Amino acid sequence: MSQRIVTAATRVVFMIGTPIAQVRSPLLFNTYFAEHGIDRVMVPLEVSVAALDGFVAMVREAENCDGFVATLPHKRALLKLVDEAGPTARALESVNAVRRNPDGRLFGDMADGAGFWNGARGAGFEPFGKAAVLAGAGAAGTAIAFEFAQRGGRKLAIWSRSGDEVDALVSRLAGTGIEVSSGMPDDLGGYDMAINATPLGMDYAPGTAFSPEQVASLPAGAIAADAITEPAETIFLGAARARGLRTIDGRAMARGQFELLRAFVAPDE
């Protein structure tokens, strides 16, 4: 990768969230910009919930900013802050990518679901006809579940610490043809994949959504997948690996959605 020099002419995109230190997008974006000779840089920025409105207002007025990518906890709030949203963002009521048009108008969309399953495909897993158990029904979990149904998933069990989130996601999946159940099964023997889409496993939220007994009950051919990017090997994935299962870490999801996000927020000049 060639050395980068940021000047006053450099175009800027942001990666926002709180916490922000664990995200992988700046590395992927900035590597791409450098390797392709594009005078653009992604800057990670810690943005609190209270500061989100002000940040979005700043982006509208920043003519050298092309947009931003968002992680937790901003994805749902952003839907009301953009001027227009793509069909996936509207369907899921959440946004993780925002493009700034030259007139300052903001267009948002959601790539978490496609990114997760693109990453899973890269690891050799196709969801068609499969059964999965999902921990987490927030913005990322909802996107993963919705895309699982769109790609022909057969059965999905959903757990979250918020019963309201689970109920909302079950309702959202109605009519997709997928068999949906609420709650975490004690025995995961009938599932092809166990997915963590909660913050559990990050440094600020230690722990795991899946007990050792549940991990041990997964069949030999099952895959354990985590949306967390840092640490790459969570307690959940470590337990699954010790069990001899295949694992997919959150960096696969980051890679899986990178091209979607880049083409949307920062297309080649």
Side-chain angles (χ1 to χ4, degrees):
M1 183 172 65
S2 60
Q3 184 178 4
R4 296 295 311 282
I5 298 176
V6 176
T7 72
T10 301
R11 304 294 301 175
V12 177
V13 294
F14 290 100
M15 175 80 219
I16 68 165
T18 182
I20 196 65
Q22 82 285 352
V23 298
R24 298 283 295 173
S25 289
L27 174 62
L28 298 174
F29 273 77
N30 290 325
T31 298
Y32 181 91
F33 296 152
E35 290 179 348
H36 290 78
I38 298 171
D39 191 14
R40 187 183 274 130
V41 63
M42 172 173 270
V43 179
L45 193 65
E46 188 92 13
V47 175
S48 69
V49 171
L52 182 62
D53 287 12
F55 169 80
V56 172
M58 179 275 294
V59 168
R60 289 184 182 280
E61 302 300 325
E63 294 188 3
N64 67 330
C65 177
D66 293 319
F68 59 93
V69 176
T71 187
L72 55 83
H74 301 314
K75 297 173 187 178
R76 286 188 167 154
L78 280 170
L79 183 66
K80 296 180 180 180
L81 297 177
V82 297
D83 300 299
E84 187 179 356
T88 301
R90 294 196 304 271
L92 301 180
E93 298 181 334
S94 60
V95 164
N96 81 324
V98 176
R99 181 175 66 237
R100 182 191 183 278
N101 293 330
D103 61 0
R105 288 178 60 80
L106 303 179
F107 186 89
D109 217 335
M110 179 48 128
D112 274 351
F116 178 87
W117 292 110
N118 287 351
R121 174 181 292 166
F125 184 91
E126 289 290 346
F128 185 85
K130 301 296 198 311
V133 55
L134 171 68
T142 295
I144 289 167
F146 189 79
E147 188 72 16
F148 181 67
Q150 298 301 304
R151 297 193 185 197
R154 176 176 58 85
K155 181 171 73 170
L156 184 67
I158 306 166
W159 172 87
S160 170
R161 289 178 290 187
S162 168
D164 290 343
E165 284 188 342
V166 173
D167 292 343
L169 180 49
V170 170
S171 296
R172 198 181 300 277
L173 293 171
T176 62
I178 191 172
E179 177 187 339
V180 184
S181 61
S182 302
M184 178 73 75
D186 292 329
D187 188 329
L188 306 184
Y191 293 89
D192 303 291
M193 177 180 277
I195 306 164
N196 177 48
T198 77
L200 289 171
M202 295 175 63
D203 289 340
Y204 83 97
T208 174
F210 296 95
S211 70
E213 293 76 17
Q214 288 167 325
V215 173
S217 71
L218 285 163
I223 291 180
D226 210 316
I228 291 174
T229 55
E230 187 65 38
E233 180 154 308
T234 57
I235 292 173
F236 167 50
L237 294 187
R241 197 183 305 277
R243 165 84 166 74
L245 301 175
R246 289 188 294 160
T247 63
I248 302 174
D249 64 38
R251 297 179 184 186
M253 178 177 172
R255 293 189 298 270
Q257 67 175 325
F258 164 68
E259 185 55 32
L260 300 173
L261 293 172
R262 187 207 61 76
F264 180 76
V265 175
D268 290 340
E269 297 172 329

